[in-house]
Amino acid sequence: MTKQKNAVRRIGVLTSGGDAPGMNAAVRAVVRSAIFRGIEVIGIRRGWNGLINGDIVKLDEKSVAHTINRGGTMLYTARSAEFMTQEGQLKAVATCKLLGLEGIVAIGGDGTFRGARALSKHGISVVGIPATIDNDIACTNYCIGFDTAANTAIECIDKLRDTMQSHERCSIVEVMGRNAGHLALYVGLAVGATAVMVPESTEDFETEVIEKIRNARLNGFTHYMVVVAEGAGNAMEVSQRIRDEIALDPRVTVLGHIQRGGIPTARDRVTATRMGYRAVDILANGGTNRIVALRNSVMCDIDIDEGLAEHKGIDQEETTVLEAMTGV
Ligand code: F6P
């Protein structure tokens, strides 16, 4: 096979923001796809801070071996306040120039993409890969890590259900999602929750939770599972309100960061691998300021400014289905 001519000779790859299972698979795919095309890859450690400080590691095909099945990120990650400043960005540009980095692949969520956009405005080619368990990047239907996080939460909640059923209790489970309820809604559907609280909801507590529990009791159920997204309300407060209003004695479980770890599912590994390949393809063809995206099951890429301007509401079809499932 004849090697294609690439627009870049050396690129960097970094992970930034909250980690997500499948990030390693994405790094691996970037490295392997780049090397396949004759492009060198430098790992930038600790997110955008690493680009500011020149915190780097040379990556070859061997250095990403046995990582596709590992959670976390081999490149470490961080949220960088300094990179949000002009001074920080100029330091990052200087690092790129010093190292001869002609392109950067940035793997993370919306904060990561705001950084990527800033860097591309300074003349460095940048491509973003969406990876966040919140699945809240509007321009893509899917973000790496969501499926693994959902399955982790589901496994935990299935276990909780056993004991809640035995003791005929009400369980309040808080899942991650500071600003978005995609994970809570999806998990709620999968575990057969009695009620789900998401930050996007406009329903009052009475309709969203109390009425659902009351209905369930009237229909003969004696245990109840309430799934609360982190951003929709404090689980302890939800529990107290239920105690005050309908005299149940709920038990609270906050799943927390356990949802961010673990062996990535097939969906996350394969999506990460496809997205990593696509990111390198964009840079090799001279593209910049792009986000790799899955839209209607098609792998594509869109302009970062356009992508960041989009808004992702809660899935209406899933909400309607949940309403039917919890309304009986
Ligand atoms: O990565 C997204 C996320 O997991 C959110 O769901 C959560 O609110 C936040 O990160 C937690 O961030 P940290 O790791 O800083 O506690």
PDB file of all heavy atoms in Angstrom, residues 43-83:
ATOM      1  N   GLY A  43       2.571  11.999  23.464  1.00  0.00           N
ATOM      2  CA  GLY A  43       1.521  12.052  24.478  1.00  0.00           C
ATOM      3  C   GLY A  43       1.729  13.278  25.350  1.00  0.00           C
ATOM      4  O   GLY A  43       2.852  13.549  25.799  1.00  0.00           O
ATOM      5  N   ILE A  44       0.665  14.030  25.556  1.00  0.00           N
ATOM      6  CA  ILE A  44       0.727  15.200  26.454  1.00  0.00           C
ATOM      7  C   ILE A  44       0.055  14.750  27.741  1.00  0.00           C
ATOM      8  O   ILE A  44      -1.120  14.323  27.693  1.00  0.00           O
ATOM      9  CB  ILE A  44      -0.078  16.406  25.888  1.00  0.00           C
ATOM     10  CG1 ILE A  44       0.110  16.579  24.393  1.00  0.00           C
ATOM     11  CG2 ILE A  44       0.185  17.667  26.691  1.00  0.00           C
ATOM     12  CD1 ILE A  44       1.377  17.145  23.938  1.00  0.00           C
ATOM     13  N   ARG A  45       0.754  14.823  28.844  1.00  0.00           N
ATOM     14  CA  ARG A  45       0.170  14.312  30.084  1.00  0.00           C
ATOM     15  C   ARG A  45      -0.522  15.417  30.885  1.00  0.00           C
ATOM     16  O   ARG A  45      -0.129  16.574  30.841  1.00  0.00           O
ATOM     17  CB  ARG A  45       1.254  13.641  30.928  1.00  0.00           C
ATOM     18  CG  ARG A  45       1.841  12.434  30.170  1.00  0.00           C
ATOM     19  CD  ARG A  45       2.670  11.578  31.038  1.00  0.00           C
ATOM     20  NE  ARG A  45       3.817  12.314  31.560  1.00  0.00           N
ATOM     21  CZ  ARG A  45       4.816  11.740  32.210  1.00  0.00           C
ATOM     22  NH1 ARG A  45       4.793  10.443  32.421  1.00  0.00           N
ATOM     23  NH2 ARG A  45       5.815  12.452  32.647  1.00  0.00           N
ATOM     24  N   ARG A  46      -1.557  15.011  31.616  1.00  0.00           N
ATOM     25  CA  ARG A  46      -2.288  15.898  32.541  1.00  0.00           C
ATOM     26  C   ARG A  46      -3.033  17.029  31.811  1.00  0.00           C
ATOM     27  O   ARG A  46      -2.990  18.183  32.223  1.00  0.00           O
ATOM     28  CB  ARG A  46      -1.353  16.433  33.621  1.00  0.00           C
ATOM     29  CG  ARG A  46      -0.695  15.292  34.386  1.00  0.00           C
ATOM     30  CD  ARG A  46       0.293  15.706  35.437  1.00  0.00           C
ATOM     31  NE  ARG A  46       0.741  14.523  36.162  1.00  0.00           N
ATOM     32  CZ  ARG A  46       1.759  13.749  35.798  1.00  0.00           C
ATOM     33  NH1 ARG A  46       2.453  14.042  34.712  1.00  0.00           N
ATOM     34  NH2 ARG A  46       2.081  12.677  36.496  1.00  0.00           N
ATOM     35  N   GLY A  47      -3.627  16.666  30.693  1.00  0.00           N
ATOM     36  CA  GLY A  47      -4.508  17.600  29.986  1.00  0.00           C
ATOM     37  C   GLY A  47      -3.796  18.829  29.454  1.00  0.00           C
ATOM     38  O   GLY A  47      -2.614  18.796  29.092  1.00  0.00           O
ATOM     39  N   TRP A  48      -4.556  19.945  29.389  1.00  0.00           N
ATOM     40  CA  TRP A  48      -3.999  21.183  28.830  1.00  0.00           C
ATOM     41  C   TRP A  48      -2.829  21.683  29.660  1.00  0.00           C
ATOM     42  O   TRP A  48      -1.924  22.342  29.140  1.00  0.00           O
ATOM     43  CB  TRP A  48      -5.081  22.263  28.738  1.00  0.00           C
ATOM     44  CG  TRP A  48      -6.164  21.947  27.748  1.00  0.00           C
ATOM     45  CD1 TRP A  48      -7.483  21.782  28.012  1.00  0.00           C
ATOM     46  CD2 TRP A  48      -6.025  21.764  26.330  1.00  0.00           C
ATOM     47  NE1 TRP A  48      -8.179  21.499  26.859  1.00  0.00           N
ATOM     48  CE2 TRP A  48      -7.307  21.489  25.815  1.00  0.00           C
ATOM     49  CE3 TRP A  48      -4.933  21.798  25.453  1.00  0.00           C
ATOM     50  CZ2 TRP A  48      -7.538  21.250  24.460  1.00  0.00           C
ATOM     51  CZ3 TRP A  48      -5.164  21.564  24.103  1.00  0.00           C
ATOM     52  CH2 TRP A  48      -6.446  21.295  23.622  1.00  0.00           C
ATOM     53  N   ASN A  49      -2.811  21.363  30.972  1.00  0.00           N
ATOM     54  CA  ASN A  49      -1.662  21.765  31.802  1.00  0.00           C
ATOM     55  C   ASN A  49      -0.371  21.187  31.242  1.00  0.00           C
ATOM     56  O   ASN A  49       0.685  21.811  31.285  1.00  0.00           O
ATOM     57  CB  ASN A  49      -1.821  21.258  33.250  1.00  0.00           C
ATOM     58  CG  ASN A  49      -2.823  22.097  34.027  1.00  0.00           C
ATOM     59  OD1 ASN A  49      -3.107  23.228  33.643  1.00  0.00           O
ATOM     60  ND2 ASN A  49      -3.368  21.539  35.094  1.00  0.00           N
ATOM     61  N   GLY A  50      -0.475  19.970  30.717  1.00  0.00           N
ATOM     62  CA  GLY A  50       0.704  19.302  30.168  1.00  0.00           C
ATOM     63  C   GLY A  50       1.241  20.020  28.948  1.00  0.00           C
ATOM     64  O   GLY A  50       2.451  20.033  28.694  1.00  0.00           O
ATOM     65  N   LEU A  51       0.329  20.631  28.191  1.00  0.00           N
ATOM     66  CA  LEU A  51       0.778  21.356  26.998  1.00  0.00           C
ATOM     67  C   LEU A  51       1.433  22.678  27.413  1.00  0.00           C
ATOM     68  O   LEU A  51       2.384  23.144  26.790  1.00  0.00           O
ATOM     69  CB  LEU A  51      -0.416  21.614  26.060  1.00  0.00           C
ATOM     70  CG  LEU A  51      -0.057  21.873  24.604  1.00  0.00           C
ATOM     71  CD1 LEU A  51       0.708  20.694  24.000  1.00  0.00           C
ATOM     72  CD2 LEU A  51      -1.312  22.113  23.768  1.00  0.00           C
ATOM     73  N   ILE A  52       0.928  23.252  28.490  1.00  0.00           N
ATOM     74  CA  ILE A  52       1.529  24.488  29.005  1.00  0.00           C
ATOM     75  C   ILE A  52       2.935  24.207  29.545  1.00  0.00           C
ATOM     76  O   ILE A  52       3.888  24.943  29.286  1.00  0.00           O
ATOM     77  CB  ILE A  52       0.634  25.086  30.122  1.00  0.00           C
ATOM     78  CG1 ILE A  52      -0.680  25.599  29.514  1.00  0.00           C
ATOM     79  CG2 ILE A  52       1.360  26.184  30.896  1.00  0.00           C
ATOM     80  CD1 ILE A  52      -1.732  25.992  30.538  1.00  0.00           C
ATOM     81  N   ASN A  53       3.051  23.088  30.268  1.00  0.00           N
ATOM     82  CA  ASN A  53       4.318  22.798  30.969  1.00  0.00           C
ATOM     83  C   ASN A  53       5.270  21.902  30.189  1.00  0.00           C
ATOM     84  O   ASN A  53       6.349  21.579  30.674  1.00  0.00           O
ATOM     85  CB  ASN A  53       4.017  22.110  32.317  1.00  0.00           C
ATOM     86  CG  ASN A  53       3.113  22.966  33.175  1.00  0.00           C
ATOM     87  OD1 ASN A  53       3.236  24.190  33.180  1.00  0.00           O
ATOM     88  ND2 ASN A  53       2.190  22.345  33.886  1.00  0.00           N
ATOM     89  N   GLY A  54       4.870  21.447  29.021  1.00  0.00           N
ATOM     90  CA  GLY A  54       5.743  20.534  28.259  1.00  0.00           C
ATOM     91  C   GLY A  54       5.879  19.182  28.937  1.00  0.00           C
ATOM     92  O   GLY A  54       6.942  18.557  28.913  1.00  0.00           O
ATOM     93  N   ASP A  55       4.766  18.714  29.530  1.00  0.00           N
ATOM     94  CA  ASP A  55       4.764  17.429  30.236  1.00  0.00           C
ATOM     95  C   ASP A  55       4.436  16.333  29.206  1.00  0.00           C
ATOM     96  O   ASP A  55       3.268  16.053  28.930  1.00  0.00           O
ATOM     97  CB  ASP A  55       3.685  17.510  31.333  1.00  0.00           C
ATOM     98  CG  ASP A  55       3.657  16.274  32.203  1.00  0.00           C
ATOM     99  OD1 ASP A  55       4.419  15.334  31.934  1.00  0.00           O
ATOM    100  OD2 ASP A  55       2.859  16.265  33.157  1.00  0.00           O
ATOM    101  N   ILE A  56       5.475  15.740  28.630  1.00  0.00           N
ATOM    102  CA  ILE A  56       5.226  14.883  27.455  1.00  0.00           C
ATOM    103  C   ILE A  56       5.818  13.486  27.595  1.00  0.00           C
ATOM    104  O   ILE A  56       6.702  13.249  28.427  1.00  0.00           O
ATOM    105  CB  ILE A  56       5.821  15.527  26.178  1.00  0.00           C
ATOM    106  CG1 ILE A  56       7.326  15.804  26.373  1.00  0.00           C
ATOM    107  CG2 ILE A  56       5.076  16.790  25.819  1.00  0.00           C
ATOM    108  CD1 ILE A  56       8.065  16.035  25.076  1.00  0.00           C
ATOM    109  N   VAL A  57       5.331  12.600  26.778  1.00  0.00           N
ATOM    110  CA  VAL A  57       5.885  11.243  26.692  1.00  0.00           C
ATOM    111  C   VAL A  57       5.788  10.814  25.230  1.00  0.00           C
ATOM    112  O   VAL A  57       4.780  11.049  24.565  1.00  0.00           O
ATOM    113  CB  VAL A  57       5.112  10.279  27.638  1.00  0.00           C
ATOM    114  CG1 VAL A  57       3.614  10.300  27.371  1.00  0.00           C
ATOM    115  CG2 VAL A  57       5.628   8.860  27.542  1.00  0.00           C
ATOM    116  N   LYS A  58       6.890  10.243  24.729  1.00  0.00           N
ATOM    117  CA  LYS A  58       6.889   9.806  23.333  1.00  0.00           C
ATOM    118  C   LYS A  58       6.088   8.498  23.233  1.00  0.00           C
ATOM    119  O   LYS A  58       6.234   7.626  24.083  1.00  0.00           O
ATOM    120  CB  LYS A  58       8.332   9.599  22.867  1.00  0.00           C
ATOM    121  CG  LYS A  58       8.515   9.855  21.412  1.00  0.00           C
ATOM    122  CD  LYS A  58       9.951  10.230  21.045  1.00  0.00           C
ATOM    123  CE  LYS A  58      10.017  10.534  19.564  1.00  0.00           C
ATOM    124  NZ  LYS A  58      10.114   9.353  18.704  1.00  0.00           N
ATOM    125  N   LEU A  59       5.221   8.408  22.275  1.00  0.00           N
ATOM    126  CA  LEU A  59       4.383   7.211  22.164  1.00  0.00           C
ATOM    127  C   LEU A  59       4.705   6.462  20.880  1.00  0.00           C
ATOM    128  O   LEU A  59       4.825   7.070  19.814  1.00  0.00           O
ATOM    129  CB  LEU A  59       2.895   7.598  22.169  1.00  0.00           C
ATOM    130  CG  LEU A  59       2.360   8.259  23.451  1.00  0.00           C
ATOM    131  CD1 LEU A  59       0.922   8.732  23.262  1.00  0.00           C
ATOM    132  CD2 LEU A  59       2.435   7.303  24.635  1.00  0.00           C
ATOM    133  N   ASP A  60       4.824   5.136  21.013  1.00  0.00           N
ATOM    134  CA  ASP A  60       4.946   4.327  19.805  1.00  0.00           C
ATOM    135  C   ASP A  60       3.898   3.219  19.874  1.00  0.00           C
ATOM    136  O   ASP A  60       3.122   3.161  20.830  1.00  0.00           O
ATOM    137  CB  ASP A  60       6.363   3.767  19.629  1.00  0.00           C
ATOM    138  CG  ASP A  60       6.777   2.895  20.796  1.00  0.00           C
ATOM    139  OD1 ASP A  60       5.892   2.350  21.478  1.00  0.00           O
ATOM    140  OD2 ASP A  60       7.984   2.761  21.042  1.00  0.00           O
ATOM    141  N   GLU A  61       3.875   2.356  18.874  1.00  0.00           N
ATOM    142  CA  GLU A  61       2.804   1.344  18.832  1.00  0.00           C
ATOM    143  C   GLU A  61       2.812   0.452  20.070  1.00  0.00           C
ATOM    144  O   GLU A  61       1.774   0.016  20.549  1.00  0.00           O
ATOM    145  CB  GLU A  61       2.870   0.518  17.533  1.00  0.00           C
ATOM    146  CG  GLU A  61       4.172  -0.186  17.255  1.00  0.00           C
ATOM    147  CD  GLU A  61       5.165   0.696  16.489  1.00  0.00           C
ATOM    148  OE1 GLU A  61       5.269   1.890  16.815  1.00  0.00           O
ATOM    149  OE2 GLU A  61       5.834   0.180  15.588  1.00  0.00           O
ATOM    150  N   LYS A  62       4.018   0.223  20.640  1.00  0.00           N
ATOM    151  CA  LYS A  62       4.131  -0.656  21.810  1.00  0.00           C
ATOM    152  C   LYS A  62       3.607   0.030  23.072  1.00  0.00           C
ATOM    153  O   LYS A  62       3.070  -0.623  23.965  1.00  0.00           O
ATOM    154  CB  LYS A  62       5.600  -1.023  22.034  1.00  0.00           C
ATOM    155  CG  LYS A  62       6.139  -2.062  21.088  1.00  0.00           C
ATOM    156  CD  LYS A  62       6.178  -3.424  21.787  1.00  0.00           C
ATOM    157  CE  LYS A  62       6.583  -4.544  20.857  1.00  0.00           C
ATOM    158  NZ  LYS A  62       7.813  -4.273  20.121  1.00  0.00           N
ATOM    159  N   SER A  63       3.791   1.347  23.164  1.00  0.00           N
ATOM    160  CA  SER A  63       3.423   2.023  24.418  1.00  0.00           C
ATOM    161  C   SER A  63       1.914   2.040  24.652  1.00  0.00           C
ATOM    162  O   SER A  63       1.473   2.350  25.748  1.00  0.00           O
ATOM    163  CB  SER A  63       4.019   3.434  24.484  1.00  0.00           C
ATOM    164  OG  SER A  63       3.781   4.128  23.288  1.00  0.00           O
ATOM    165  N   VAL A  64       1.140   1.740  23.642  1.00  0.00           N
ATOM    166  CA  VAL A  64      -0.309   1.690  23.852  1.00  0.00           C
ATOM    167  C   VAL A  64      -0.837   0.247  23.824  1.00  0.00           C
ATOM    168  O   VAL A  64      -2.051   0.023  23.791  1.00  0.00           O
ATOM    169  CB  VAL A  64      -1.070   2.556  22.815  1.00  0.00           C
ATOM    170  CG1 VAL A  64      -0.846   4.020  23.086  1.00  0.00           C
ATOM    171  CG2 VAL A  64      -0.683   2.196  21.381  1.00  0.00           C
ATOM    172  N   ALA A  65       0.090  -0.711  23.874  1.00  0.00           N
ATOM    173  CA  ALA A  65      -0.348  -2.113  23.895  1.00  0.00           C
ATOM    174  C   ALA A  65      -1.030  -2.405  25.229  1.00  0.00           C
ATOM    175  O   ALA A  65      -0.676  -1.819  26.264  1.00  0.00           O
ATOM    176  CB  ALA A  65       0.854  -3.030  23.701  1.00  0.00           C
ATOM    177  N   HIS A  66      -2.008  -3.279  25.229  1.00  0.00           N
ATOM    178  CA  HIS A  66      -2.742  -3.705  26.443  1.00  0.00           C
ATOM    179  C   HIS A  66      -3.420  -2.545  27.158  1.00  0.00           C
ATOM    180  O   HIS A  66      -3.494  -2.527  28.385  1.00  0.00           O
ATOM    181  CB  HIS A  66      -1.796  -4.440  27.420  1.00  0.00           C
ATOM    182  CG  HIS A  66      -0.950  -5.478  26.762  1.00  0.00           C
ATOM    183  ND1 HIS A  66      -1.476  -6.554  26.088  1.00  0.00           N
ATOM    184  CD2 HIS A  66       0.399  -5.578  26.632  1.00  0.00           C
ATOM    185  CE1 HIS A  66      -0.495  -7.278  25.581  1.00  0.00           C
ATOM    186  NE2 HIS A  66       0.657  -6.709  25.884  1.00  0.00           N
ATOM    187  N   THR A  67      -3.849  -1.549  26.436  1.00  0.00           N
ATOM    188  CA  THR A  67      -4.560  -0.433  27.073  1.00  0.00           C
ATOM    189  C   THR A  67      -6.024  -0.370  26.646  1.00  0.00           C
ATOM    190  O   THR A  67      -6.819   0.311  27.284  1.00  0.00           O
ATOM    191  CB  THR A  67      -3.917   0.929  26.721  1.00  0.00           C
ATOM    192  OG1 THR A  67      -3.954   1.102  25.301  1.00  0.00           O
ATOM    193  CG2 THR A  67      -2.490   1.036  27.209  1.00  0.00           C
ATOM    194  N   ILE A  68      -6.377  -1.067  25.570  1.00  0.00           N
ATOM    195  CA  ILE A  68      -7.748  -0.952  25.041  1.00  0.00           C
ATOM    196  C   ILE A  68      -8.786  -1.401  26.059  1.00  0.00           C
ATOM    197  O   ILE A  68      -9.925  -0.944  26.070  1.00  0.00           O
ATOM    198  CB  ILE A  68      -7.879  -1.722  23.702  1.00  0.00           C
ATOM    199  CG1 ILE A  68      -9.154  -1.301  22.967  1.00  0.00           C
ATOM    200  CG2 ILE A  68      -7.840  -3.233  23.908  1.00  0.00           C
ATOM    201  CD1 ILE A  68      -9.227  -1.760  21.530  1.00  0.00           C
ATOM    202  N   ASN A  69      -8.383  -2.285  26.954  1.00  0.00           N
ATOM    203  CA  ASN A  69      -9.326  -2.845  27.933  1.00  0.00           C
ATOM    204  C   ASN A  69      -9.225  -2.171  29.301  1.00  0.00           C
ATOM    205  O   ASN A  69      -9.816  -2.635  30.258  1.00  0.00           O
ATOM    206  CB  ASN A  69      -9.060  -4.346  28.088  1.00  0.00           C
ATOM    207  CG  ASN A  69      -7.629  -4.633  28.487  1.00  0.00           C
ATOM    208  OD1 ASN A  69      -6.743  -3.829  28.213  1.00  0.00           O
ATOM    209  ND2 ASN A  69      -7.389  -5.741  29.137  1.00  0.00           N
ATOM    210  N   ARG A  70      -8.457  -1.082  29.393  1.00  0.00           N
ATOM    211  CA  ARG A  70      -8.260  -0.456  30.712  1.00  0.00           C
ATOM    212  C   ARG A  70      -9.041   0.847  30.856  1.00  0.00           C
ATOM    213  O   ARG A  70      -9.044   1.701  29.975  1.00  0.00           O
ATOM    214  CB  ARG A  70      -6.766  -0.208  30.951  1.00  0.00           C
ATOM    215  CG  ARG A  70      -6.034  -1.505  31.334  1.00  0.00           C
ATOM    216  CD  ARG A  70      -4.560  -1.307  31.507  1.00  0.00           C
ATOM    217  NE  ARG A  70      -4.227  -0.059  32.181  1.00  0.00           N
ATOM    218  CZ  ARG A  70      -3.114   0.637  31.968  1.00  0.00           C
ATOM    219  NH1 ARG A  70      -2.243   0.206  31.095  1.00  0.00           N
ATOM    220  NH2 ARG A  70      -2.878   1.741  32.624  1.00  0.00           N
ATOM    221  N   GLY A  71      -9.714   0.997  32.018  1.00  0.00           N
ATOM    222  CA  GLY A  71     -10.397   2.249  32.333  1.00  0.00           C
ATOM    223  C   GLY A  71      -9.386   3.322  32.687  1.00  0.00           C
ATOM    224  O   GLY A  71      -8.179   3.094  32.653  1.00  0.00           O
ATOM    225  N   GLY A  72      -9.860   4.510  33.020  1.00  0.00           N
ATOM    226  CA  GLY A  72      -8.965   5.622  33.347  1.00  0.00           C
ATOM    227  C   GLY A  72      -8.279   6.151  32.103  1.00  0.00           C
ATOM    228  O   GLY A  72      -8.717   5.891  30.981  1.00  0.00           O
ATOM    229  N   THR A  73      -7.210   6.896  32.299  1.00  0.00           N
ATOM    230  CA  THR A  73      -6.425   7.359  31.151  1.00  0.00           C
ATOM    231  C   THR A  73      -4.940   7.272  31.450  1.00  0.00           C
ATOM    232  O   THR A  73      -4.475   7.819  32.448  1.00  0.00           O
ATOM    233  CB  THR A  73      -6.805   8.790  30.695  1.00  0.00           C
ATOM    234  OG1 THR A  73      -5.735   9.302  29.872  1.00  0.00           O
ATOM    235  CG2 THR A  73      -7.056   9.751  31.833  1.00  0.00           C
ATOM    236  N   MET A  74      -4.226   6.592  30.592  1.00  0.00           N
ATOM    237  CA  MET A  74      -2.779   6.415  30.761  1.00  0.00           C
ATOM    238  C   MET A  74      -2.041   7.753  30.666  1.00  0.00           C
ATOM    239  O   MET A  74      -0.899   7.862  31.096  1.00  0.00           O
ATOM    240  CB  MET A  74      -2.230   5.450  29.703  1.00  0.00           C
ATOM    241  CG  MET A  74      -2.430   5.936  28.287  1.00  0.00           C
ATOM    242  SD  MET A  74      -1.783   4.825  27.024  1.00  0.00           S
ATOM    243  CE  MET A  74      -0.038   5.165  27.115  1.00  0.00           C
ATOM    244  N   LEU A  75      -2.703   8.770  30.123  1.00  0.00           N
ATOM    245  CA  LEU A  75      -2.051  10.086  29.986  1.00  0.00           C
ATOM    246  C   LEU A  75      -2.381  11.002  31.170  1.00  0.00           C
ATOM    247  O   LEU A  75      -1.950  12.149  31.190  1.00  0.00           O
ATOM    248  CB  LEU A  75      -2.480  10.760  28.673  1.00  0.00           C
ATOM    249  CG  LEU A  75      -1.981  10.098  27.385  1.00  0.00           C
ATOM    250  CD1 LEU A  75      -2.544  10.818  26.163  1.00  0.00           C
ATOM    251  CD2 LEU A  75      -0.453  10.096  27.336  1.00  0.00           C
ATOM    252  N   TYR A  76      -3.096  10.501  32.145  1.00  0.00           N
ATOM    253  CA  TYR A  76      -3.602  11.322  33.258  1.00  0.00           C
ATOM    254  C   TYR A  76      -4.507  12.431  32.692  1.00  0.00           C
ATOM    255  O   TYR A  76      -4.518  12.688  31.488  1.00  0.00           O
ATOM    256  CB  TYR A  76      -2.476  11.940  34.099  1.00  0.00           C
ATOM    257  CG  TYR A  76      -1.508  10.929  34.650  1.00  0.00           C
ATOM    258  CD1 TYR A  76      -0.296  10.674  34.008  1.00  0.00           C
ATOM    259  CD2 TYR A  76      -1.798  10.214  35.800  1.00  0.00           C
ATOM    260  CE1 TYR A  76       0.600   9.730  34.500  1.00  0.00           C
ATOM    261  CE2 TYR A  76      -0.914   9.270  36.291  1.00  0.00           C
ATOM    262  CZ  TYR A  76       0.286   9.030  35.638  1.00  0.00           C
ATOM    263  OH  TYR A  76       1.153   8.106  36.112  1.00  0.00           O
ATOM    264  N   THR A  77      -5.231  13.071  33.597  1.00  0.00           N
ATOM    265  CA  THR A  77      -6.102  14.145  33.131  1.00  0.00           C
ATOM    266  C   THR A  77      -6.184  15.236  34.202  1.00  0.00           C
ATOM    267  O   THR A  77      -5.793  15.025  35.347  1.00  0.00           O
ATOM    268  CB  THR A  77      -7.512  13.611  32.770  1.00  0.00           C
ATOM    269  OG1 THR A  77      -8.288  14.672  32.208  1.00  0.00           O
ATOM    270  CG2 THR A  77      -8.239  13.041  33.976  1.00  0.00           C
ATOM    271  N   ALA A  78      -6.648  16.399  33.803  1.00  0.00           N
ATOM    272  CA  ALA A  78      -6.780  17.520  34.748  1.00  0.00           C
ATOM    273  C   ALA A  78      -7.743  18.524  34.151  1.00  0.00           C
ATOM    274  O   ALA A  78      -8.033  18.497  32.953  1.00  0.00           O
ATOM    275  CB  ALA A  78      -5.422  18.166  34.971  1.00  0.00           C
ATOM    276  N   ARG A  79      -8.266  19.386  35.026  1.00  0.00           N
ATOM    277  CA  ARG A  79      -9.029  20.535  34.534  1.00  0.00           C
ATOM    278  C   ARG A  79      -8.085  21.727  34.700  1.00  0.00           C
ATOM    279  O   ARG A  79      -7.589  21.963  35.800  1.00  0.00           O
ATOM    280  CB  ARG A  79     -10.305  20.721  35.354  1.00  0.00           C
ATOM    281  CG  ARG A  79     -11.225  19.493  35.334  1.00  0.00           C
ATOM    282  CD  ARG A  79     -12.532  19.756  36.046  1.00  0.00           C
ATOM    283  NE  ARG A  79     -13.159  18.528  36.522  1.00  0.00           N
ATOM    284  CZ  ARG A  79     -14.004  17.773  35.813  1.00  0.00           C
ATOM    285  NH1 ARG A  79     -14.313  18.108  34.598  1.00  0.00           N
ATOM    286  NH2 ARG A  79     -14.534  16.683  36.323  1.00  0.00           N
ATOM    287  N   SER A  80      -7.839  22.456  33.633  1.00  0.00           N
ATOM    288  CA  SER A  80      -6.813  23.500  33.671  1.00  0.00           C
ATOM    289  C   SER A  80      -7.413  24.905  33.656  1.00  0.00           C
ATOM    290  O   SER A  80      -7.976  25.340  32.641  1.00  0.00           O
ATOM    291  CB  SER A  80      -5.861  23.341  32.472  1.00  0.00           C
ATOM    292  OG  SER A  80      -4.962  24.428  32.419  1.00  0.00           O
ATOM    293  N   ALA A  81      -7.280  25.600  34.780  1.00  0.00           N
ATOM    294  CA  ALA A  81      -7.753  26.997  34.834  1.00  0.00           C
ATOM    295  C   ALA A  81      -6.806  27.884  34.026  1.00  0.00           C
ATOM    296  O   ALA A  81      -7.231  28.823  33.339  1.00  0.00           O
ATOM    297  CB  ALA A  81      -7.825  27.456  36.280  1.00  0.00           C
ATOM    298  N   GLU A  82      -5.502  27.537  34.067  1.00  0.00           N
ATOM    299  CA  GLU A  82      -4.506  28.377  33.384  1.00  0.00           C
ATOM    300  C   GLU A  82      -4.727  28.394  31.872  1.00  0.00           C
ATOM    301  O   GLU A  82      -4.529  29.422  31.210  1.00  0.00           O
ATOM    302  CB  GLU A  82      -3.083  27.875  33.703  1.00  0.00           C
ATOM    303  CG  GLU A  82      -2.012  28.872  33.287  1.00  0.00           C
ATOM    304  CD  GLU A  82      -0.589  28.405  33.562  1.00  0.00           C
ATOM    305  OE1 GLU A  82      -0.395  27.324  34.155  1.00  0.00           O
ATOM    306  OE2 GLU A  82       0.333  29.155  33.160  1.00  0.00           O
ATOM    307  N   PHE A  83      -5.174  27.264  31.329  1.00  0.00           N
ATOM    308  CA  PHE A  83      -5.350  27.201  29.877  1.00  0.00           C
ATOM    309  C   PHE A  83      -6.517  28.063  29.399  1.00  0.00           C
ATOM    310  O   PHE A  83      -6.620  28.389  28.219  1.00  0.00           O
ATOM    311  CB  PHE A  83      -5.539  25.750  29.424  1.00  0.00           C
ATOM    312  CG  PHE A  83      -5.401  25.569  27.939  1.00  0.00           C
ATOM    313  CD1 PHE A  83      -4.165  25.665  27.333  1.00  0.00           C
ATOM    314  CD2 PHE A  83      -6.503  25.336  27.145  1.00  0.00           C
ATOM    315  CE1 PHE A  83      -4.023  25.529  25.960  1.00  0.00           C
ATOM    316  CE2 PHE A  83      -6.389  25.194  25.775  1.00  0.00           C
ATOM    317  CZ  PHE A  83      -5.136  25.293  25.183  1.00  0.00           C
TER     318      PHE A  83
END
